[in-house]
Amino acid sequence: MAAKEKPRGTDVLYGLIGQARQYGDAIILGRGDPDFDTPAHIVDAGMAALSDHQDEVSPVEGILPLRQAIAERVKKVNGIEVNPETEVVFTNGGQEALFLMVLTVIGEGDGLLVPEPNYNTYKDAVKFAGGRVVSMATYANEAFRVDPNRLKESLTPETRAILLVSPNNPAASVISKEDLVEIVKIAQEHNLYILSDDIYDLLIYDAFEHTSVASLSGAEERTLTLNALSKTYAMTGWRTGWVVGPEQLINKLKTFKANVSGPASIAAQYAALEALTGSQEAMQQMASAYHKRRDMVLSALDEMGFKYGLPQGGQFVFVDISHTGMSSVDLAEEILTREHVLAYPGGAFSEGMDDFIRITFLQTEEKLQQGLTRMKRAMDALSKEA
Amino acid sequence: MSKSMEPSHWGLDHPSQPLSQNLIQGVETALKSGMTHYVDVPGIPELRAQVANHKSSQVLKIVSDQVLITAGIQEARFLSLQSLTADKNPVAIPKVVHPGVRGALGVRKLETQSLEVEEDRSLLTETSIEHLLDQEIPLLFLENPSRFSGATYTSDELDKITQFVNAGVTNVIWDEGLGVWNSNFNSVLTYVKNLERTTVIGEIKPGRGIENLQLGYVIASKEKVMAMTALKQIMSICTSTPSQLAAIELFNDESGSERLYETLKQIREQLVFELTKRNIPVLQGESVNTIAFGAAMTSLSDTPLFSRGEIFGCQGFTRVSIPANLDVDSILNELAPTGVN
């Protein structure tokens, strides 16, 4: 098999996606866009806003009923208490929430400690803010645990904040409550902020439990927490996210929001309100489907002889490809070219993750099965040629 | 954040009118057919093509690759300003300018150079324009029409500014968002031969009922659009799909825009008459959706129809955004006594 190559960063993802689009039968097992469509009752609420609330001028942080619904949600699901008047900002998706959180706490020369692997746009946001990423390694043989001791050793004098993504993207690992308690102590000791990405908090598997770090003693006053409706309610196109946190930080974030984009679409806000307060049946059915699909993917990977980090949460699995001797980019390109199936190379998420690919289970079971069958064919062919 | 810094206190820039049920139905059908997912970062191709076609002139044909759809005018300001100041050079802006411009520049604390404006129009003075060539200005941001007064540059002035740009010493961003409210408006896109140094921003279909869906555009060279797209990917991935679908429907339905224009024009003329009668100075402005005058308001001053001039850089003046149902007497009754700010 081909010798390892240096990963080419996030640009490689766009190149692979572009290539996949040329194939009429491509199955993309990499992108984080649920195959489900937004439930009809949520669409209806968004459309009702076009006639009933068309003239409504939203404050930059979002309409109050929506912020109240968000406050109730984070209290119920995450154990975080916030004042909807002053401690909630609705954003253009989780992506904008992420961007604004970074701008709020990272300035010129400041460091953001980022456990690897990680969703690469955090690094882009830090670069825009003039800061720098302080990487912290996690390891597959430790289930990508964010080890508090290693975290502490990774701190530099410039570190200003710690990023915690749980479940992690792409590793799908969940940070335990015990580890979070220790991390909060470290943050207190070094006077650091915490940025918490909870976007997959409702998609947890097996006996794992999700803890929102902001719910822990000592964390509340220094933590900004983001979430969004994209993944759990299939609303990726609507751009519906939020950040909650202490008033002082939220005020600063709100100013950035005003200057970056202003308030979100009124239709998106009312659709989000319905998602949070209306029937949860569709969301629960989707979550149930993801559980089933996860098991399907894991069975297929077992059959192909792959090792993987057991997904503790999220919508993907991080697959160990080290036995192939190929770089993640090379392998992704081979599978795509041979069988028109796209899995995302781990090297695009982090330089040290070139021994992994990320496979999402955001396709129908039928398409997922097809994709995995074709992927197996590609792997069998590569093995024979080796 | 002080109240005056909140966008709701920046005031509305455009009036609105109800959306047709046909339009809403069209959007709903598209959404329920599955268009609820991520779309292309620079915008749905159909909408980009519509904007390109709409903004093309006999002088300059715009193509889709030169269009970026944004989450409202403020994102258009932010993307264009931040992207074109990647080297952190100062930006020259008029002394009177929409507060969102300073806000967008302030996110990374970019320096600004203030250009003098005519008191009665809030547009660059002749001297400012004449002296553009004498100065090293990497980036110039202009509004045409002015977001405060509604005044527009004359053909002569546009010629001179364009000459300055063509001399190759600067890039310029033109905010043309209020242009639709001026029947004699000349877009800079009818003056420039290419987009090498010219960027244009604005709202998509202002005054047609989708203002609160937050849709804007940037028109720039393909290379600049690619750079802004990269930044947008980091900021928000894409602009809300339902908003874009509504705009696509609107482009396919041109009915209703002329009636609103005439209504606003009549209201504005009445306001000018009444204010002038009361010896209150009114800034020159050709855009029928806005009027700025030299007086403060009292209890109505905290509604989105009113903006204090100070946030635009024009102390002692008030801007009123004119809706179709504006009660002129309510404005006149709320004028503050002289000396009250």
Side-chain angles (χ1 to χ4, degrees):
Chain A
M1 294 196 178
K4 282 181 187 273
E5 288 180 6
K6 195 174 167 64
R8 299 192 295 272
T10 55
D11 288 343
V12 72
L13 283 181
Y14 303 131
L16 289 168
I17 293 167
Q19 183 183 340
R21 280 185 177 163
Q22 292 171 30
Y23 307 128
D25 63 342
I27 295 178
I28 297 180
L29 297 182
R31 196 169 191 194
D33 189 353
D35 58 300
F36 296 106
D37 297 333
T38 305
H41 68 101
I42 296 173
V43 172
D44 290 340
M47 293 305 95
L50 291 185
S51 44
D52 302 341
H53 300 283
Q54 180 215 9
D55 285 344
E56 185 170 346
V57 178
S58 168
V60 68
E61 64 268 35
I63 57 174
L64 184 57
L66 176 55
R67 285 182 278 131
Q68 287 168 332
I70 291 168
E72 281 169 31
R73 192 274 191 200
V74 300
K75 181 175 176 183
K76 183 177 167 190
V77 174
N78 308 114
I80 302 173
E81 301 251 8
V82 291
N83 181 340
E85 304 253 5
T86 56
E87 297 179 324
V88 179
V89 174
F90 187 76
T91 60
N92 287 322
Q95 188 67 35
E96 190 181 60
L98 172 170
F99 184 73
L100 294 172
M101 286 206 311
V102 169
L103 282 182
T104 300
V105 303
I106 298 295
E108 195 71 35
D110 289 339
L112 176 67
L113 189 137
V114 175
E116 303 286 0
N118 214 278
Y119 181 45
N120 28 48
T121 59
Y122 271 108
K123 295 160 194 166
D124 297 326
V126 170
K127 186 177 170 190
F128 179 86
R132 51 182 293 269
V133 165
V134 178
S135 288
M136 176 206 146
T138 67
Y139 301 99
N141 60 3
E142 293 177 5
F144 299 104
R145 178 185 173 221
V146 181
D147 184 326
N149 291 325
R150 196 177 302 126
L151 185 148
K152 190 169 182 175
E153 285 163 11
S154 302
L155 295 178
T156 66
E158 295 78 27
T159 307
R160 188 105 164 100
I162 300 168
L163 172 66
L164 297 173
V165 183
S166 178
N168 176 276
N169 178 8
S173 53
V174 173
I175 306 175
S176 70
K177 184 176 180 179
E178 293 71 28
D179 281 346
L180 285 173
V181 167
E182 292 307 308
I183 292 169
V184 171
K185 287 180 189 166
I186 294 168
Q188 286 176 301
E189 185 187 329
H190 294 268
N191 195 24
L192 303 174
Y193 293 112
I194 299 174
L195 302 184
S196 181
D197 181 342
D198 283 8
I199 204 165
Y200 295 106
D201 62 355
L202 290 179
L203 293 169
I204 306 292
Y205 307 112
D206 305 323
F208 297 102
E209 285 183 8
H210 182 266
T211 302
S212 287
V213 64
S215 67
L216 301 176
S217 171
E220 187 185 329
E221 65 267 22
R222 62 185 66 249
T223 303
L224 287 170
T225 303
L226 81 79
N227 214 318
L229 302 173
S230 310
K231 314 293 184 182
T232 41
Y233 291 85
M235 292 180 74
T236 46
W238 292 79
R239 316 316 297 133
T240 48
W242 65 77
V243 182
V244 299
E247 185 175 346
Q248 186 188 4
L249 289 179
I250 288 292
N251 269 344
K252 197 174 169 192
L253 190 142
K254 200 164 78 166
T255 301
F256 281 121
K257 173 78 173 119
N259 293 326
V260 165
S261 64
S265 154
I266 201 73
Q269 292 194 51
Y270 276 97
L273 178 59
E274 174 63 19
L276 289 169
T277 59
S279 166
Q280 301 299 303
E281 188 180 341
M283 184 273 287
Q284 286 159 358
Q285 284 171 352
M286 287 188 257
S288 175
Y290 296 136
H291 276 74
K292 192 173 162 191
R293 293 170 183 185
R294 183 193 80 137
D295 294 342
M296 181 191 293
V297 171
L298 297 186
S299 291
L301 291 173
D302 287 340
E303 205 182 316
M304 286 186 249
F306 279 113
K307 291 182 194 167
Y308 46 80
L310 181 69
Q312 300 170 3
Q315 296 168 326
F316 32 74
V317 53
F318 213 36
V319 184
D320 186 338
I321 61 160
S322 55
H323 67 286
T324 67
M326 297 176 75
S327 74
S328 60
V329 173
D330 280 352
L331 182 61
E333 280 179 345
E334 285 288 343
I335 298 170
L336 179 60
T337 304
R338 288 169 187 260
E339 294 289 340
H340 303 173
V341 173
L342 176 58
Y344 279 10
F349 291 92
S350 172
E351 271 196 24
M353 295 293 151
D354 202 29
D355 280 339
F356 293 88
I357 56 174
R358 186 185 84 165
I359 294 175
T360 57
F361 24 98
L362 298 173
Q363 303 280 357
T364 61
E365 276 95 69
E366 185 188 340
K367 239 186 175 169
L368 205 50
Q369 191 57 63
Q370 270 179 36
L372 292 165
T373 300
R374 278 151 60 168
M375 186 175 156
K376 183 175 187 305
R377 223 166 28 222
M379 295 311 301
D380 287 344
L382 283 166
S383 283
K384 281 189 184 140
E385 291 165 17
Chain B
M1 183 164 71
S2 69
K3 264 198 154 178
S4 64
M5 286 303 293
E6 295 185 10
S8 56
H9 290 270
W10 290 353
L12 294 175
D13 285 328
H14 302 282
S16 189
Q17 51 183 326
L19 291 169
S20 72
Q21 281 307 308
N22 278 348
L23 182 146
I24 296 172
Q25 186 60 53
V27 176
E28 181 180 339
T29 300
L31 290 168
K32 287 183 174 172
S33 74
M35 289 194 70
T36 60
H37 299 266
Y38 290 123
V39 292
D40 292 351
V41 176
I44 295 175
E46 186 180 350
L47 182 57
R48 293 176 79 194
Q50 285 172 326
V51 171
N53 186 52
H54 183 66
K55 298 299 286 183
S56 289
S57 69
Q58 287 186 342
V59 173
L60 182 63
K61 178 167 166 54
I62 310 292
V63 296
S64 298
D65 285 349
Q66 294 167 324
V67 176
L68 170 65
I69 307 299
T70 65
I73 182 64
Q74 187 58 25
E75 190 180 77
R77 288 187 185 109
F78 180 82
L79 282 169
S80 58
L81 284 165
Q82 286 290 343
S83 182
L84 293 175
T85 51
D87 51 6
K88 309 258 177 104
N89 278 326
V91 183
I93 61 175
K95 192 175 155 194
V96 177
V97 75
H98 193 280
V101 175
R102 293 196 181 88
L105 289 165
V107 171
R108 285 201 294 185
K109 299 184 178 55
L110 295 167
E111 274 183 59
T112 58
Q113 179 185 342
S114 186
L115 301 173
E116 285 301 320
V117 299
E118 292 174 357
E119 277 184 18
D120 59 347
R121 289 199 302 159
S122 302
L123 298 177
L124 293 190
T125 62
E126 193 175 335
T127 310
S128 287
I129 296 174
E130 294 288 337
H131 286 172
L132 285 175
L133 272 170
D134 298 336
Q135 306 171 70
E136 283 185 15
I137 301 176
L139 180 61
L140 175 60
F141 184 98
L142 296 174
E143 293 170 349
N144 185 36
S146 159
R147 290 256 174 188
F148 188 64
S149 65
T152 54
Y153 287 99
T154 64
S155 302
D156 259 352
E157 288 165 336
L158 280 177
D159 252 337
K160 282 182 184 158
I161 297 171
T162 308
Q163 278 174 35
F164 166 64
V165 172
N166 288 339
V169 296
T170 195
N171 280 286
V172 63
I173 301 171
W174 287 96
D175 175 358
E176 295 192 339
L178 262 54
V180 68
W181 303 112
N182 179 344
S183 59
N184 296 322
F185 175 68
N186 291 316
S187 167
V188 71
L189 295 172
T190 60
Y191 284 79
V192 296
K193 294 197 172 56
N194 59 58
L195 295 174
E196 196 184 322
R197 288 182 213 289
T198 298
T199 298
V200 176
I201 67 172
E203 291 91 331
I204 293 180
K205 290 294 184 183
R208 298 296 307 281
I210 60 170
E211 295 70 38
N212 290 324
L213 297 187
Q214 305 297 337
L215 269 180
Y217 67 84
V218 178
I219 290 172
S221 69
K222 186 178 168 185
E223 293 71 26
K224 291 194 177 87
V225 166
M226 283 173 63
M228 290 183 219
T229 299
L231 179 53
K232 182 162 169 74
Q233 168 94 27
I234 300 166
M235 282 166 55
S236 61
I237 298 181
C238 62
T239 297
S240 185
T241 308
S243 296
Q244 295 192 61
L245 293 172
I248 289 170
E249 292 286 329
L250 262 185
F251 269 108
N252 294 331
D253 173 15
E254 283 299 329
S255 62
S257 47
E258 284 176 7
R259 202 166 46 241
L260 181 59
Y261 179 93
E262 290 302 323
T263 302
L264 299 182
K265 187 176 171 201
Q266 284 176 20
I267 295 171
R268 193 180 193 282
E269 284 170 354
Q270 189 185 357
L271 266 172
V272 171
F273 175 76
E274 294 292 343
L275 290 167
T276 306
K277 205 166 75 174
R278 289 162 172 77
N279 292 321
I280 295 171
V282 178
L283 294 187
Q284 284 184 41
E286 298 81 28
S287 305
V288 299
N289 67 314
T290 189
I291 183 169
F293 51 85
M297 311 297 292
T298 54
S299 63
L300 292 180
S301 60
D302 283 340
T303 76
L305 295 182
F306 302 90
S307 314
R308 296 174 198 274
E310 70 204 45
I311 68 173
F312 283 80
C314 194
Q315 192 80 22
F317 278 73
T318 295
R319 185 190 81 159
V320 173
S321 184
I322 302 172
N325 59 353
L326 183 69
D327 178 0
V328 170
D329 286 336
S330 69
I331 304 287
L332 301 173
N333 293 338
E334 293 298 330
L335 290 173
T338 309
V340 172
N341 286 320

